[in-house]
Amino acid sequence: FHRRIFCVAVWAIWGDRNNRLHNKGSKSAKEIGRFVISYISELDSVAKTSRRSSTTVKEWVKPTDSFIKINFDAAYVRGQNKAAIGVVARNEEGSFLLSCSEVHQWVPSAFGVEAIACRKALQIGVHMQWDRVIIEGDSLSIIKKCKTKIPDKSLVSAFIHDIHQLSVYFKECKFEHTPRSTNGLAHNLASEAMKSSRGVYLVGRAPGVAEIQAEIDKVREPD
């Protein structure tokens, strides 16, 4: 604490000296002292807020207004070019409509498999003939690319093009980013597919490990 006071005080005195040299006025010793105390208090307040924010775990939120929320995620083994995707669709009651996982070979990057997972989420929505969907994943880069209409020129441009083409089949299609903590169900599906080297396609339910995660989500779901 005393070291912080010393450092801030030296910084404040140095700044006051520069102000005097450039004819911008100067502060009295009391004013500098009050500034140092105020500045340290502000730093402490910011630190407390940051700690509270970092420990706040957001939870999966049910869709509203007759939307179907389709979460996607991916797992990737670097060096083997092996990947798996997980997709789960739920309605406004939080009930399972469909769960799916696939194993993919020769995928060049984790970024690429996230795009594949996102495309699969839309393909499922189109196949099931859902009108209003929310496509939700924890890959911020992929979600941003899906939201923009500017032609993509990255290594996943072909997948993003497919996603844009598929999105026009819905009356409404929203892309939303979510933290990993709220995307556990899709993540577990992808991880289990990677471990077992096989995928699943289940209508109206999810595999055992995903069902356990879903029950946890329901307990955490705010009223």
Side-chain angles (χ1 to χ4, degrees):
F1 178 76
H2 294 292
R3 184 180 298 176
R4 281 202 302 168
I5 291 178
F6 175 77
C7 292
V8 174
V10 170
W11 173 61
I13 292 169
W14 179 261
D16 187 65
R17 171 185 174 277
N18 288 337
N19 286 337
R20 287 200 308 273
L21 290 175
H22 294 89
N23 297 318
K24 293 182 179 180
S26 63
K27 294 183 176 69
S28 66
K30 285 186 177 180
E31 288 175 326
I32 292 176
R34 284 197 294 268
F35 169 80
V36 170
I37 293 172
S38 175
Y39 188 80
I40 290 176
S41 297
E42 186 175 347
L43 287 177
D44 289 339
S45 176
V46 170
K48 289 178 182 178
T49 302
S50 298
R51 284 196 295 270
R52 285 197 299 269
S53 298
S54 63
T55 56
T56 300
V57 179
K58 294 182 178 179
E59 308 301 341
W60 182 83
V61 178
K62 298 173 184 176
T64 58
D65 300 326
S66 300
F67 273 89
I68 304 299
K69 181 175 284 190
I70 310 175
N71 285 79
F72 70 90
D73 201 7
Y76 181 73
V77 178
R78 193 180 302 276
Q80 297 182 20
N81 291 344
K82 180 182 178 182
I85 63 172
V87 178
V88 58
R90 285 172 282 185
N91 60 17
E92 56 192 0
E93 296 177 353
S95 301
F96 285 115
L97 299 179
L98 188 146
S99 61
C100 167
S101 62
E102 293 178 348
V103 178
H104 291 259
Q105 303 289 345
W106 310 113
V107 180
S109 68
F111 192 46
V113 73
E114 287 282 358
I116 292 172
C118 184
R119 182 180 65 177
K120 184 64 179 182
L122 277 95
Q123 288 172 335
I124 287 173
V126 171
H127 177 73
M128 298 299 291
Q129 298 182 348
W130 292 326
D131 290 332
R132 295 176 174 84
V133 297
I134 297 171
I135 308 299
E136 190 174 77
D138 56 47
S139 175
L140 182 58
S141 297
I142 294 298
I143 294 298
K144 283 183 175 180
K145 288 178 180 294
C146 293
K147 284 184 173 183
T148 182
K149 297 303 180 183
I150 300 174
D152 187 70
K153 297 181 180 180
S154 69
L155 294 176
V156 297
S157 59
F159 301 124
I160 300 302
H161 174 76
D162 290 347
I163 289 168
H164 287 160
Q165 293 295 310
L166 288 164
S167 66
V168 302
Y169 285 92
F170 303 99
K171 289 182 179 178
E172 289 187 72
C173 180
K174 300 179 181 180
F175 295 95
E176 295 183 357
H177 174 256
T178 188
R180 171 59 63 84
S181 61
T182 72
N183 207 33
L185 201 49
H187 177 73
N188 286 344
L189 283 168
S191 297
E192 288 301 311
M194 180 70 81
K195 292 176 184 177
S196 63
S197 295
R198 63 185 180 87
V200 298
Y201 191 97
L202 302 172
V203 177
R205 67 185 187 91
V209 65
E211 289 180 332
I212 293 172
Q213 180 64 47
E215 289 303 317
I216 294 173
D217 289 346
K218 285 182 180 179
V219 171
R220 290 175 174 174
E221 179 72 21
D223 295 331

